[in-house]
């Protein structure tokens, strides 16, 4: 395994999900990786709402906070791309985090994980 900036980006994605989920996302990430390696979505991804993966000890985010949570989740998933070439750089992550995000196209409570995942053909 080559250790470079793309490893740092992957680690950022793991850490971000851990904070958002309130627990280590190891099994969750493994399920995402399995889903990415097959043509069909795994049960973890298919029809799973983003709000259901977040730390349930916290109230659901609302308004601009919901926008931010959804965008940070999407960024974290981009950092977890199986192929390091499709991951953003830390500079891109930093830029994205400091950019004002547009409002969500739909209610936060209806966003599915599939909406948040950056698929290889979209990124590349």
């Amino acid at each position: 395994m080559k250790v470079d900036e793309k490893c740092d980006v992957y680690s950022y994605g793991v850490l971000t999900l851990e904070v958002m989920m309130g627990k280590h996302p190891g099994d969750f990430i493994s399920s995402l990786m399995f889903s990415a390696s097959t043509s069909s979505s795994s049960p973890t991804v298919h029809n799973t709402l983003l709000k259901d993966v977040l730390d349930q000890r916290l109230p659901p985010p609302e308004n601009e906070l919901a926008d931010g949570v959804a965008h940070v989740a999407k960024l974290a998933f981009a950092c977890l791309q199986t192929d390091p070439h499709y991951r953003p750089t830390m500079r891109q992550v930093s830029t994205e985090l400091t950019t004002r995000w547009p409002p969500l196209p739909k209610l936060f409570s209806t966003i599915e994980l599939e909406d948040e995942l950056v698929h290889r053909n979209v990124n590349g």
Side-chain angles (χ1 to χ4, degrees):
M1 175 170 123
K2 181 180 171 188
V3 178
D4 60 11
E5 181 188 52
K6 296 296 182 163
C7 294
D8 292 341
V9 168
Y10 185 88
S11 296
Y12 171 80
V14 172
L15 180 63
T16 300
L17 284 184
E18 185 168 356
V19 170
M20 295 176 83
M21 295 173 71
K23 61 183 178 182
H24 191 277
D27 292 337
F28 178 74
I29 292 171
S30 295
S31 181
L32 290 177
M33 297 298 179
F34 175 76
S35 174
S37 67
T38 63
S39 58
S40 61
S41 294
S42 73
T44 299
V45 175
H46 190 64
N47 293 330
T48 300
L49 297 174
L50 176 60
K51 71 177 185 70
D52 293 337
V53 207
L54 299 178
D55 191 337
Q56 298 299 301
R57 297 171 294 179
L58 301 173
E62 297 177 352
N63 305 322
E64 286 136 10
L65 183 58
D67 296 345
V69 168
H71 289 286
V72 169
K74 188 170 197 155
L75 186 58
F77 291 132
C79 294
L80 298 175
Q81 288 287 321
T82 307
D83 186 337
H85 294 99
Y86 293 103
R87 296 177 195 153
T89 64
M90 282 308 293
R91 181 175 301 278
Q92 290 169 320
V93 169
S94 175
T95 300
E96 188 66 28
L97 289 172
T98 59
T99 302
R100 184 171 170 87
W101 300 308
L104 294 173
K106 59 186 187 178
L107 292 174
F108 181 83
S109 61
T110 65
I111 295 176
E112 295 181 9
L113 287 183
E114 286 181 309
D115 298 332
E116 295 295 286
L117 294 176
V118 178
H119 297 284
R120 191 177 187 173
N121 57 1
V122 173
N123 232 3

